[in-house]
Amino acid sequence: MMAAVQVGSHVKVGAKKGVVRFIGTTEFAAGEWYGVELEQPKGKNDGTVNGQTYFSCAPNHGLFCKKAQLRIDRS
């Protein structure tokens, strides 16, 4: 059974590693989204999308994804 993903969880999105900084609904798309602060600058934003800030991180370290794309990082 997968552990519950929550803000502060260390996760992987594909090969990218990061920490969950946001969980909730957004203005840019329907449904529940997970905002991840990546360890490397391989993201698409800094936690802000279309002028709306969901969390803050360095440029290109932010990524939004669905829960199905996340895995708990146990490394």
Side-chain angles (χ1 to χ4, degrees), residues 7-69:
V7 173
S9 292
H10 288 262
V11 296
K12 291 180 182 175
V13 182
K16 302 169 188 165
K17 292 184 177 187
V19 178
V20 176
R21 298 294 185 206
F22 170 87
I23 301 173
T25 57
T26 66
E27 293 183 6
F28 61 82
E32 185 176 58
W33 288 87
Y34 289 70
V36 179
E37 179 180 359
L38 300 172
E39 291 179 357
Q40 303 292 326
K42 296 180 178 178
K44 298 180 178 173
N45 55 60
D46 62 358
T48 300
V49 179
N50 298 333
Q52 175 71 41
T53 300
Y54 298 97
F55 65 98
S56 294
C57 65
N60 298 322
H61 282 69
L63 179 73
F64 286 89
C65 66
K66 293 294 198 175
K67 185 174 185 178
Q69 297 170 271

